[in-house]
Amino acid sequence: MWNPVSGKELVKERLSLKGIDPLLLCGRLDENLKLLSKEFNTDIVLRGNNIILCGEPEKISLLKLKILSLIKEIKEGKTISKEDLGRTNPSPTVTNKQVIVTSKRLIKPRTSGQVEYLRALNSFDIIVCIGPAGTGKTYLAVAKAVELLKKGVFRRIILTRPAVEAGERLGFLPGDFKEKIEPYLRPLYDALYELMPHDKIKHCIEDHTIEVAPLAYMRGRNLDNSFVILDEAQNTGKGQMKMFLTRLGIGSKACITGDITQIDLENPNLSGLLHIQQVLSGIRGIKFVKLSKSDILRHPLVKKIVEAYEDEAESFRDKH
């Protein structure tokens, strides 16, 4: 067969649903198959205990891996959600070392990019994770920090992020400095509350086992035996980034996360996150991990929004 629009050959693939209830994969009125068909731009038809796929070879290859991974999850007793259907990456093979154990939950990487990220968190002292919103950059780093704190690998967790508007609109917010800065730090607290009991977090903050603070508070400090996370790093200046990196003390690990497509600095070219990609990429012991839109695990529309902005940016570059 031939697709006259794309000029590419079309292929057919038949997959057996033997051993599972087809309804669990296909959904009510085949709604799951319709979502997969749209996601992969292919035709999917249910025929008895088989599904027939038709489309371009590379898309069918990815869709086949996707469906086989969903069948595997169903056989393991998992209920398929719309979020699962929206993940274009097949479920990766996960080792025990890549499962994070916290007080409240077990966390597994759900994309190949996240597997690479957790591998880096296990193996390197400085990890720089760059990727779009919704890829789990901050959440996985906080989860790993919580796990290692519980195991006694580190004595402290330090979570920090820049307040890029501290010299501008921040002054118009009500309250003292602590109250003004609270909105910037709230996402870090949110991640903690998903991973630890509230009373435990309160106790850890009171005895300084866990510290959540603006990046400016890191100046002049020596951070020994700590898991340190710098979030929203795209909004650090070059000097701030150097200051943060040189705070790392003996027995510590640092994870730097950010999205270089959402820089809020007046001059985006001065971002410390952009700069360290140029000056630190060759240093042994520092690992750069790049996540992409295929690692997004939020609402399915988030991926489409990221794609739309990427297309707009590419169009602008082409015109200029």
Side-chain angles (χ1 to χ4, degrees):
M1 292 184 293
W2 192 263
N3 185 339
V5 177
S6 66
K8 294 185 177 180
E9 181 187 4
L10 300 179
V11 297
K12 276 189 176 183
E13 185 86 37
R14 181 187 297 268
L15 294 178
S16 172
L17 302 184
K18 186 177 180 180
I20 67 167
D21 181 349
L23 181 63
L24 296 177
L25 175 69
C26 302
R28 188 172 60 88
L29 301 178
D30 293 342
E31 61 181 355
N32 291 351
L33 296 187
K34 292 173 184 175
L35 286 170
L36 287 169
S37 177
K38 184 176 181 181
E39 180 73 28
F40 288 85
N41 193 25
T42 58
D43 293 326
I44 309 175
V45 180
L46 178 65
R47 290 284 185 267
N49 274 341
N50 297 288
I51 53 174
I52 300 170
L53 319 177
C54 182
E56 296 172 8
E58 61 272 19
K59 292 179 180 178
I60 292 298
S61 178
L62 288 173
L63 177 57
K64 179 180 177 181
L65 287 174
K66 175 71 174 182
I67 291 176
L68 289 175
S69 74
L70 292 173
I71 291 173
K72 180 175 181 289
E73 290 179 1
I74 290 170
K75 287 181 177 179
E76 292 172 351
K78 180 178 177 181
T79 300
I80 300 303
S81 67
K82 287 186 178 180
E83 186 180 72
D84 295 318
L85 297 170
R87 285 187 277 129
T88 54
N89 277 1
S91 295
T93 300
V94 178
T95 67
N96 289 337
K97 287 185 178 180
Q98 291 154 354
V99 176
I100 300 174
V101 182
T102 70
S103 302
K104 294 179 73 172
R105 61 183 62 188
L106 296 176
I107 296 138
K108 293 182 179 181
R110 296 171 59 187
T111 69
S112 57
Q114 288 189 348
V115 168
E116 181 189 357
Y117 184 25
L118 282 183
R119 197 176 288 134
L121 287 169
N122 286 330
S123 305
F124 291 84
D125 286 337
I126 295 180
I127 305 95
V128 183
C129 184
I130 299 171
T135 51
K137 302 183 299 295
T138 305
Y139 184 77
L140 290 175
V142 174
K144 192 65 184 177
V146 168
E147 178 190 52
L148 295 178
L149 179 71
K150 182 180 178 182
K151 290 181 176 179
V153 176
F154 298 103
R155 286 190 292 113
R156 292 184 297 171
I157 296 174
I158 298 174
L159 309 174
T160 185
R161 46 169 30 192
V164 294
E165 295 178 339
E168 301 173 8
R169 282 164 280 181
L170 196 63
F172 294 96
L173 295 174
D176 58 22
F177 182 74
K178 184 177 180 181
E179 292 169 325
K180 292 174 189 288
I181 210 71
E182 176 71 16
Y184 292 96
L185 304 177
R186 175 50 49 188
L188 297 174
Y189 284 109
D190 290 344
L192 282 173
Y193 286 131
E194 282 196 36
L195 299 164
M196 297 175 67
H198 287 213
D199 57 342
K200 179 67 173 175
I201 294 172
K202 182 179 178 182
H203 175 74
C204 287
I205 290 175
E206 287 174 351
D207 70 6
H208 303 293
T209 302
I210 294 178
E211 181 180 349
V212 184
L215 179 59
Y217 282 28
M218 298 300 109
R219 188 170 296 278
R221 298 180 60 182
N222 182 39
L223 306 176
D224 287 331
N225 205 359
S226 303
F227 195 123
V228 192
I229 298 171
L230 171 57
D231 191 36
E232 296 290 324
Q234 75 275 5
N235 290 328
T236 62
K238 294 179 182 179
Q240 286 179 307
M241 180 64 78
K242 180 182 177 183
M243 179 273 290
F244 171 79
L245 288 167
T246 54
R247 298 309 93 206
L248 201 63
I250 300 298
S252 289
K253 183 188 293 281
C255 183
I256 299 162
T257 67
D259 178 359
I260 57 175
T261 70
Q262 297 195 55
I263 300 174
D264 298 319
L265 302 174
E266 288 187 21
N267 185 346
N269 293 324
L270 298 180
S271 167
L273 186 59
L274 290 177
H275 187 237
I276 61 171
Q277 292 182 81
Q278 302 169 20
V279 298
L280 302 183
S281 60
I283 297 180
R284 188 174 182 180
I286 300 178
K287 177 67 174 178
F288 285 82
V289 178
K290 302 286 182 69
L291 300 180
S292 69
K293 60 190 176 187
S294 63
D295 297 301
I296 293 174
L297 296 174
R298 287 183 183 167
H299 191 289
L301 282 175
V302 173
K303 179 185 172 186
K304 297 184 184 298
I305 290 167
V306 170
E307 289 176 340
Y309 275 98
E310 286 180 351
D311 291 343
E312 192 273 340
E314 187 173 337
S315 175
F316 179 83
R317 286 193 297 269
D318 290 343
K319 290 178 181 178
H320 297 81

